[in-house]
């Protein structure tokens, strides 16, 4: 069975959805990683959620401001 695909045009291409999250990579000491996993398991929360909550609590506790998003991050993507 031969399958024909249309070439992408503006009318048949879905616009890209802007992601609400960003990927990050960090290196941790093994005991810190175990503590992180241990903190997530009792509440059945994701590692990402535990990390986000911890960072936001740290920022709040130290009265730090969260930098505003760059102008290009705030505009919807057109591609």
């Amino acid at each position: 069975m031969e399958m024909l695909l249309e070439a992408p045009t503006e009318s048949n291409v879905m616009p890209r959805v802007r992601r609400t999250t960003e990927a990050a990579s960090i290196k941790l000491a093994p005991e810190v990683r175990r503590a992180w996993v241990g903190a997530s398991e009792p509440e059945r929360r994701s590692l990402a959620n535990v990390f986000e909550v911890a960072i936001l609590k740290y920022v709040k506790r130290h009265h730090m401001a969260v930098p505003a998003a760059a102008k290009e991050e705030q505009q919807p993507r057109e591609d």
Side-chain angles (χ1 to χ4, degrees), residues 35-74:
W36 186 22
V37 170
S40 71
E41 288 176 346
E43 297 179 12
R44 299 183 64 180
R45 293 167 48 196
S46 69
L47 291 174
N49 181 258
V50 171
F51 184 80
E52 288 175 357
V53 169
I55 293 297
L56 292 174
K57 282 184 178 181
Y58 180 91
V59 167
K60 185 175 181 178
R61 182 178 41 222
H62 293 280
H63 308 288
M64 300 168 70
V66 177
K71 191 172 185 174
E72 61 271 4
E73 291 177 8
Q74 296 173 349

